[in-house]
Structure formats: C-alpha cells, structure tokens
Amino acid sequence: MKLDPHILITSLAALGSVLAAPATTGTTITAKYDDLGNFVAAVPITSYKGLSYTDFVIASTEAVQVGGVASRSPPNRVGPGSSGNSAISPQSPTFKAFALLEFYYGCQVRLGEALAGVAAKCTFTLTGYAASSGKQVATATLTFNPPLSPVAPVPMVKAVLPSSFNQKLSKVTVAVAGTNVVGLIDDLRYTGYTS
C-alpha cells in the first residue's frame, strides 16, 4: 500500500494546527469555603480558589438555628457585604477569566455582624461582564422565598443561571435586596481560564 505524499502532508499540517491552537477549556472548581477554618462572627474574604471577592464576608454555621438557612456544605458560606459593591472576579495570575456555572443561595434576617438569623425572602441580582470587552453581557434575578414559619433549618436553593454566564467573564457583581437581610452563597461552581 502506497501513501499519497500530498495526503500525508495535508494530514500532518492539520494535526499541527490543532495541536498549536490555544486551549479554550478551563479548570472547573466548586468553592465550598469549608477549608478556611471556623468563624464565630463574619470576617472578610478577599480571595479563594482562584477568585477575588470584593465586599464579601465568610462565616461558619455549625449551629444553624431553627428557621435559619442551612449551608449547602457545612460549615462555611459567604455573603455579599452591605456596601452594594460586592463582586467576584478572577484572581490574577491564577485565572484571567471565569464562567459562573452555578451556586446555592439563601437569605436570613441580619443580626449584627453574624450571618445568622431566621430565613427571609430576598432577591439576588447578578450582572456579568465580558473578559474581552468589559461590557455587560449577562444578568440574572433570583428570588429566595422560604416558608413563613420554618420549623427546621431551611435548605439553600440552587441558582438557575442563564447560559450567558457560561462564558469568559471579568467580573460578576452581586446585589441582594430585602428587608434587613443578608445574602448567603455556598458551593459556587465555576470554570477558571488562564487565557
């Protein structure tokens, strides 16, 4: 059997272009926040597993009170601060962009600096910005609506995000609206990109 040299050269050239193409796949990570220790009161979190957190706090919830929101993966969860400037972005040099895939969320009545209290209705508003242009490319509004008189810790709800968050983003802002509430996030799953 004789190979045609033109076919062989064309095949090798095609293989070379595929091998030389930059990787577009990233690393998928679930941030559970549970390896950071235990916290009696909420403390600021600025970075974790390749992401930077602006105006976020972390707290332990090993003893969630009846009617409170249970962490998806105890003991820790994070919450946007009260400044209205909460955001998540890739932490350089680990990642240059990220895609937000899913997370679990809930809200509780704010009790001072603690992320504790009774489950409460709230609305999360997320806005994503493209890594390539910095322009707004994704938005989502999520509502947490717990039972009125819970008799046990209320489970967090899985965020159903539009596909527009599954692209290379430079930042996702997070705002929580409700009456004297603190938003809670756990098991944040994302894909980090190095280029």
Side-chain angles (χ1 to χ4, degrees), residues 14-151:
L15 178 62
S17 67
V18 168
L19 293 175
T24 56
T25 58
T27 303
T28 300
I29 296 170
T30 300
K32 294 181 178 272
Y33 314 104
D34 299 324
D35 56 351
L36 296 173
N38 292 321
F39 305 94
V40 175
V43 296
I45 180 172
T46 56
S47 63
Y48 184 68
K49 295 198 181 237
L51 293 181
S52 291
Y53 294 80
T54 302
D55 190 34
F56 270 81
V57 294
I58 183 169
S60 298
T61 58
E62 290 182 348
V64 174
Q65 70 184 44
V66 171
V69 175
S71 294
R72 174 71 180 170
S73 61
N76 296 336
R77 67 259 186 102
V78 297
S82 57
S83 74
N85 297 318
S86 299
I88 302 170
S89 56
Q91 182 183 16
S92 186
T94 307
F95 296 125
K96 295 192 178 352
F98 77 110
L100 183 57
L101 305 176
E102 67 183 29
F103 61 91
Y104 288 81
Y105 69 100
C107 283
Q108 293 184 161
V109 173
R110 181 181 297 278
L111 296 176
E113 294 300 311
L115 294 184
V118 177
K121 183 177 180 178
C122 69
T123 302
F124 277 71
T125 302
L126 289 84
T127 306
Y129 297 86
S132 59
S133 67
K135 292 183 179 179
Q136 179 180 324
V137 293
T139 59
T141 301
L142 310 167
T143 300
F144 181 72
N145 197 7
L148 290 177
S149 300
V151 293

Side-chain angles (χ1 to χ4, degrees), residues 4-26:
D4 184 339
H6 292 89
I7 294 174
L8 181 60
I9 290 172
T10 304
S11 298
L12 288 174
L15 178 62
S17 67
V18 168
L19 293 175
T24 56
T25 58

